[in-house]
Amino acid sequence: MTEAQTTPRYPENYPEPQGLWSRPEGERSGTPLMVLLHGYGANEADLMGLVPMLPEEFTVVSLRAPQTLAPGAYQWFPLMASEDFDFAQVKAASEYVLEWLDGIKGQHSSVTLLGFSMGMAMATTLLRRRPRDFAAVVGLSGFAIDPAAGDPTGVGTRYFHDAELDGTVPMFWGRDQADPVITPDKVAYTLDWVRGHVDLTKIAYEGIRHSISVPEMAHVAEFLNLKVLAPAQR
């Protein structure tokens, strides 16, 4: 193996990936994999409460973001409104997850991504980088990243392979139109991006604000059964 193949494509100070699994290692082979990507300031335990509401066929792993904010609190990259944000950090977080996935995905029948808030930004970024790698994407109360944001050099636009997304990858997007966290410009960009790029199921939920509800997760389970599990059985 060459040095280029063994050298990580992300900063040296990023920790070894850490995650929580729904099954012991000996029971994972051949199962569809669901990767949970938490929001800003949370950790890998934050979304594990969703596991009982997901189809039992999935092996679920919740991954911890690589940048530490405080003990028990992590981020994938700085908030886009902060002075510290640049697209290079989005790219680094993406490569961090993709390199980890490359080491485990071979034992699974498919890989699906579920991201909440900033985790949805990560999930859509991973899809846009590797359009053929994922069976489906679930985005909850989040957004897709405008590659021009914080990137005057055009690195972000070149990093994404949006032209290879022809509207066939299933994507679920659930949100409250009164979400006080995701700003209107991010919602507008995401609405524009999903058109023509994914096979979209979009549902609005009143009263959940910036959160996840039980009815929403029932819809997610239906989506996963229809778009991921049923096609695999044909």
Side-chain angles (χ1 to χ4, degrees):
M1 190 173 287
T2 66
E3 182 178 351
Q5 291 172 307
T6 58
T7 302
R9 301 181 297 271
Y10 50 84
E12 292 182 358
N13 64 344
Y14 277 19
E16 286 294 314
Q18 297 189 49
L20 295 175
W21 291 82
S22 65
R23 299 181 197 266
E25 187 171 359
E27 299 177 9
R28 300 172 194 166
S29 181
T31 60
L33 180 66
M34 167 73 71
V35 181
L36 305 183
L37 303 162
H38 64 75
Y40 175 82
N43 59 50
E44 69 275 23
D46 187 58
L47 298 180
M48 287 300 287
L50 302 180
V51 173
M53 294 181 275
L54 296 169
E56 63 181 9
E57 290 88 343
F58 284 92
T59 291
V60 181
V61 58
S62 185
L63 189 64
R64 178 190 295 180
Q67 296 185 358
T68 302
L69 292 170
Y74 303 89
Q75 66 177 8
W76 299 100
F77 49 83
L79 294 172
M80 295 182 71
S82 72
E83 294 182 358
D84 296 334
F85 176 80
D86 63 68
F87 190 85
Q89 297 195 59
V90 177
K91 179 179 176 181
S94 175
E95 294 299 323
Y96 177 76
V97 177
L98 289 171
E99 184 170 295
W100 170 77
L101 270 174
D102 285 344
I104 63 170
K105 66 183 181 183
Q107 65 179 299
H108 295 280
S109 58
S110 66
V111 180
T112 296
L113 306 171
L114 186 156
F116 170 72
S117 193
M118 182 182 279
M120 177 178 165
M122 278 298 301
T124 50
T125 291
L126 297 171
L127 174 66
R128 298 167 80 178
R129 178 59 177 173
R130 299 264 191 95
R132 296 179 179 87
D133 279 18
F134 304 105
V137 171
V138 176
L140 306 177
S141 299
F143 61 99
I145 292 175
D146 180 352
D151 176 33
T153 66
V155 170
T157 301
R158 293 191 296 273
Y159 184 71
F160 289 151
H161 297 303
D162 283 357
E164 297 177 25
L165 286 166
D166 59 2
T168 58
V169 177
M171 177 174 165
F172 180 97
W173 182 17
R175 62 180 300 268
D176 185 343
Q177 295 187 80
D179 186 328
V181 174
I182 307 303
T183 54
D185 60 308
K186 292 183 179 66
V187 174
Y189 176 83
T190 306
L191 281 169
D192 184 64
W193 175 78
V194 295
R195 297 188 181 103
H197 286 109
V198 295
D199 174 16
L200 182 67
T201 299
K202 182 178 181 292
I203 304 180
Y205 300 89
E206 292 186 4
I208 69 169
R209 308 281 283 175
H210 190 66
S211 66
I212 302 170
S213 71
V214 172
E216 182 178 28
M217 288 308 299
H219 291 145
V220 168
E222 292 174 6
F223 168 84
L224 294 170
N225 277 309
L226 178 65
K227 298 293 188 177
V228 179
L229 299 180
Q233 295 170 358
R234 291 171 189 161

